[in-house]
């Protein structure tokens, strides 16, 4: 048995590969089989992370396993899908038991956290990279797409912005900070929490949604383009964490929130009448703008002046400050 | 817009990305959506191909696109699934329009051939590799797994063996041959034809099935292990092509057929009573052995003597002759 076959057996034995609701057949055959209840559709998303491009090389394999899966599952949240399963294509230059064990522990933890089962994949030799494909289910017609925003809708997000991008200088070892600042920022970066519950709660309510990966302004641009509307963002309403403000100051924190990316918080558009019941249910929703007729994204200051910067999304960590 | 965003738009505009039966939402949102008819399950398989490991670098991008998808879709055939869609995670060191255009043409051709729509993926910068995840549907309970073979079943394959592995010295430029020999072997290597029709015809008939990628003996070992049976292969019954025999001689052709891999022909076990109707329907089925009580794979010569070699599957092209 070759070492890569050993790895396949290793993953097949992992706790997250022991099946789950909706998994009719897991690892070990030519295909996995998923059951999709009548009236529901299967949601699918694929993400690739390359060493030296999307994450530092070397990096902590536990944290890498945890974060990679969270980033992928966040796309299910953005669609309002209930998570089912994922596949992992892992390419490794060399096989070390320590690395694999730590990676699998991080993966297992996040898989348990998100309720997804590992159902297949491939393990190959080559430069370190990972491709994860995630699967969820959503009632037909209720998936949250990017294309339904209407003038008059509110622009909302599901949590604080900028923490992921703000953490980057800490993650890359370029800056230091006291634990009270560094710990929450690092935690957000390495262990983002896909907003699966919020996504499902928004079914039939939000008119458009996505998860913020490129940066608020760039991602609002995706909604504006797909929905053929304009989106106005009010800078004074950005939800910023104490840790981010302490670390970067007001202006730096705003910059991270607007253009930094890596938030994996949902951004969505909502008819105003839908807001009260969602807030009453306790969902952490921040209103930071609105949808208007027109096109593109406009950033407004507290006086309503247009202060839109050139929009430039997240372009992999090497190119960010 | 960055060059990788341009690539995403390029693939979104490809003919194979324009939807198909079962595709409720294609490229462009956080997730794609597939519709699975009531009573059916979704079959999923993932394959990674790394430059310099699974294919020569550089290689013809048209042929790479064609072959990569065929290899992935072959797993749907092995499961008896009807093809629906695929995702493509493509990692590229540099972006050249010529390379991408040729790759996409090969991909489109095979996608059309197999009836699969491109519904998503990711394009990233890094060392050249591809991960394809393919999706099909199969009535619940009728998927062809590896685990149902019974003593008394016939061991069958769906076509000639050894052509893929036999072609390798030609593909790598290590040997030359006249066109009458080289052309059919090269065609088999670069454009394997997933046996989707045969796979579906075997639903409810074959007791176990897979597609031969590791080599006949190694893959029969997978069936033996999963089904807890023994498998006997008769060397004299191996279906060998004229081109392969002319190129490698009897012994070399047998070796390629037994251990070469890269065939992407179905191997399956069949109760004898099921054979006549399948043959009457014109399926190209070769009987080359049988399932027995016991374990493992045994190779028999024409006199019934055990001539089993140490079984060693295909281990990427660099390690084959």
């Amino acid at each position: 048995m070759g070492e890569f076959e050993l790895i396949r057996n290793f993953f097949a034995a992992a706790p997250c590969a022991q099946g789950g609701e909706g998994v009719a057949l897991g690892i070990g055959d030519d295909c996995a089989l998923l059951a999709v209840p009548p009236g529901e559709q299967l949601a699918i998303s694929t993400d690739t992370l390359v060493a030296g491009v999307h994450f530092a090389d070397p990096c902590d394999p536990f944290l890498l396993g945890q974060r990679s899966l969270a980033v992928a599952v966040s796309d299910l949240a953005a669609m309002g899908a209930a998570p089912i399963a994922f596949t992992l294509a892992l390419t490794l230059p060399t096989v070390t038991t320590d690395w694999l064990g730590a990676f699998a522990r991080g993966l297992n933890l996040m898989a348990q956290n998100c309720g997804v089962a590992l159902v297949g994949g491939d393990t190959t030799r080559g430069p370190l990279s990972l491709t994860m494909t995630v699967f969820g289910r959503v009632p037909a017609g209720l998936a949250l797409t990017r294309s339904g925003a209407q003038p008059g809708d509110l622009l909302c997000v599901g949590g604080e912005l900028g923490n992921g991008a703000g953490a980057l200088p800490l993650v890359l070892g370029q800056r230091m900070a006291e634990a009270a600042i560094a710990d929450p920022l690092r935690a957000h970066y390495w262990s983002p929490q896909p907003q699966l519950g919020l996504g499902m709660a928004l079914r039939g309510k939000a008119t458009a949604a996505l998860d913020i990966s490129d940066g608020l302004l760039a991602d609002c641009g995706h909604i504006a383009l797909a929905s053929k509307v304009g989106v106005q963002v009010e800078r004074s309403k950005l939800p910023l964490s104490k840790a981010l403000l302490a670390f970067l100051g007001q202006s730096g924190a705003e910059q991270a929130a607007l253009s930094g990316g890596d938030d994996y918080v949902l951004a969505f558009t909502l008819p105003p009448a839908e807001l009260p019941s969602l807030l009453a249910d306790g969902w952490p929703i921040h209103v930071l703008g609105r949808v208007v007729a027109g096109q593109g994204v406009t950033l407004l200051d507290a006086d309503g002046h247009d202060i839109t910067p050139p929009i430039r999304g997240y372009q992999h960590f090497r190119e960010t400050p």
Side-chain angles (χ1 to χ4, degrees), chain A:
Chain A
M1 192 183 289
E3 58 183 349
F4 282 84
E5 197 168 345
L6 285 169
I7 298 177
R8 281 173 209 125
N9 293 349
F10 172 81
F11 279 112
C16 63
Q18 304 317 308
E21 199 189 326
V23 179
L25 184 68
I27 291 179
D29 219 297
D30 293 284
C31 292
L33 295 172
L34 299 186
V36 180
E40 304 214 356
Q41 293 177 329
L42 196 87
I44 299 168
S45 177
T46 293
D47 281 286
T48 297
L49 300 177
V50 180
V53 180
H54 303 90
F55 57 91
D57 186 21
C59 79
D60 182 318
F62 175 87
L63 296 174
L64 178 65
Q66 190 176 258
R67 176 174 151 83
S68 307
L69 183 56
V71 166
V73 169
S74 183
D75 282 314
L76 295 177
M79 215 71 187
I84 302 175
F86 71 107
T87 61
L88 167 66
L90 179 61
T91 301
L92 290 169
T94 53
V95 176
T96 67
T97 313
D98 284 357
W99 195 97
L100 274 173
F103 178 82
R105 281 194 301 279
L107 195 71
N108 271 317
L109 190 66
M110 189 55 74
Q112 192 172 36
N113 180 20
C114 294
V116 284
L118 177 61
V119 294
D122 200 358
T123 310
T124 51
R125 185 186 299 282
L128 180 60
S129 76
L130 315 133
T131 295
M132 293 204 186
T133 303
V134 294
F135 306 100
R137 57 188 173 78
V138 60
L142 289 187
L144 307 174
T145 68
R146 300 176 173 190
S147 59
Q150 297 286 333
D153 288 347
L154 303 171
L155 172 68
C156 307
V157 295
E160 292 164 342
L161 301 179
N163 292 336
L168 213 50
L170 297 166
V171 168
L172 296 176
Q174 295 165 344
R175 280 189 63 185
M176 304 286 282
E178 57 186 292
I181 291 173
D183 290 353
L185 292 178
R186 277 211 192 89
H188 189 95
Y189 182 87
W190 283 118
S191 184
Q193 301 297 314
Q195 298 195 293
L196 291 159
L198 177 58
M200 288 186 264
L202 293 176
R203 288 177 185 168
K205 295 179 177 172
T207 50
L210 46 63
D211 64 320
I212 302 176
S213 55
D214 292 340
L216 177 67
L217 294 181
D219 282 317
C220 285
H222 297 149
I223 290 178
L225 188 67
S227 297
K228 300 186 177 66
V229 294
V231 174
Q232 292 182 341
V233 178
E234 297 177 53
R235 187 178 58 183
S236 62
K237 294 187 176 166
L238 293 172
L240 304 170
S241 71
K242 284 180 188 169
L244 187 69
L245 286 164
F247 188 50
L248 296 182
Q250 182 71 32
S251 170
E254 285 173 357
Q255 178 65 25
L258 291 167
S259 305
D262 257 347
D263 286 304
Y264 306 108
V265 159
L266 299 190
F268 50 98
T269 58
L270 199 65
E274 302 287 0
L275 184 62
S277 68
L278 288 164
L279 288 175
D281 287 344
W283 295 111
I285 297 177
H286 305 264
V287 178
L288 57 165
R290 60 196 189 109
V291 180
V292 295
Q295 61 181 3
V297 179
T298 310
L299 181 65
L300 303 175
D301 70 10
D303 300 322
H305 294 131
D306 183 343
I307 52 167
T308 312
I311 291 177
R312 178 178 154 287
Y314 180 69
Q315 302 268 353
H316 304 162
F317 79 76
R318 288 198 297 199
E319 297 167 71
T320 58

